[in-house]
Amino acid sequence: MNLLLILLKSAIVDNVVFIQYLAICPFIGMTSETDKAAGMGIATSFVILLATAVTWPIYKLIMVPLHLEFLQTLMFILVIASLVQLVEFFLKKSMPALYKSMGVYLALITTNCAVLGVTINCISKNYNYGESLVYALGSALGFVISMVIMSGVRSKLKTANVPQAFKGTPILYVAAGLLSLAFLGFKGLIN
């Protein structure tokens, strides 16, 4: 039951985009089409899960015994960058259309603060390995949910009568703020 609570809390209650305000760049940049948004969400989710699976043992089994905790951010960034390169090679070979549609945003997964944030949160929340993987899965699901929801909102905004001052990026931030408020309503769901 504890794992289910961690999953739900990380996906909805502490959503990585709407509550923690991480990964705003791909959230705004890659949600113009639902296919792109879902593809980016899945690719990022894969990296989040892999990064957590690799960084947790490195931190707990190597860095802590050697008292190298101060290198946590640097080490995690190196691991994430390597994993993104692997995902990029895989997508280039197996899904060239998705690879081309993602363009520069695929390389930006390396600097996606959600990936780094999730790996650091697993350590700071003192989760064990299994709990960390469930937290990463929930956060990844939350990221995909936020990307797909925003792509749906953007498709509706294309036909909406938006005031001139809000056309373009401003209305996206207004919509993102309203979605954040909606997700804030889940805050009392799980303590």
Side-chain angles (χ1 to χ4, degrees), residues 77-94:
I77 289 172
L78 290 173
V79 168
I80 291 165
S82 302
L83 292 173
V84 169
Q85 288 299 310
L86 290 173
V87 169
E88 192 170 353
F89 291 142
F90 174 76
L91 286 178
K92 192 173 187 178
K93 292 290 184 190
S94 63

Side-chain angles (χ1 to χ4, degrees), residues 123-177:
I123 301 300
S124 67
K125 292 178 184 288
N126 207 21
Y127 286 148
N128 64 34
Y129 190 66
E131 291 170 338
S132 294
L133 292 176
V134 170
Y135 178 83
L137 176 64
S139 296
L141 288 173
F143 181 71
V144 172
I145 288 168
S146 65
M147 294 289 283
V148 171
I149 288 173
M150 188 59 167
S151 69
V153 168
R154 286 184 76 164
S155 70
K156 294 293 184 188
L157 286 173
K158 288 177 185 174
T159 59
N161 186 17
V162 178
Q164 186 61 35
F166 287 101
K167 286 192 183 215
T169 306
I171 195 66
L172 296 180
Y173 285 111
V174 170

Side-chain angles (χ1 to χ4, degrees), residues 31-93:
T31 53
S32 59
E33 297 173 21
T34 304
D35 293 345
K36 282 187 195 177
M40 180 65 163
I42 291 168
T44 304
S45 297
F46 184 68
V47 173
I48 287 173
L49 284 167
L50 272 178
T52 302
V54 173
T55 56
W56 191 94
I58 288 173
Y59 184 82
K60 293 289 186 176
L61 302 175
I62 297 171
M63 296 175 74
V64 171
L66 295 175
H67 304 292
L68 297 174
E69 296 94 338
F70 64 94
L71 293 173
Q72 174 187 22
T73 304
L74 178 66
M75 181 62 69
F76 286 12
I77 289 172
L78 290 173
V79 168
I80 291 165
S82 302
L83 292 173
V84 169
Q85 288 299 310
L86 290 173
V87 169
E88 192 170 353
F89 291 142
F90 174 76
L91 286 178
K92 192 173 187 178
K93 292 290 184 190

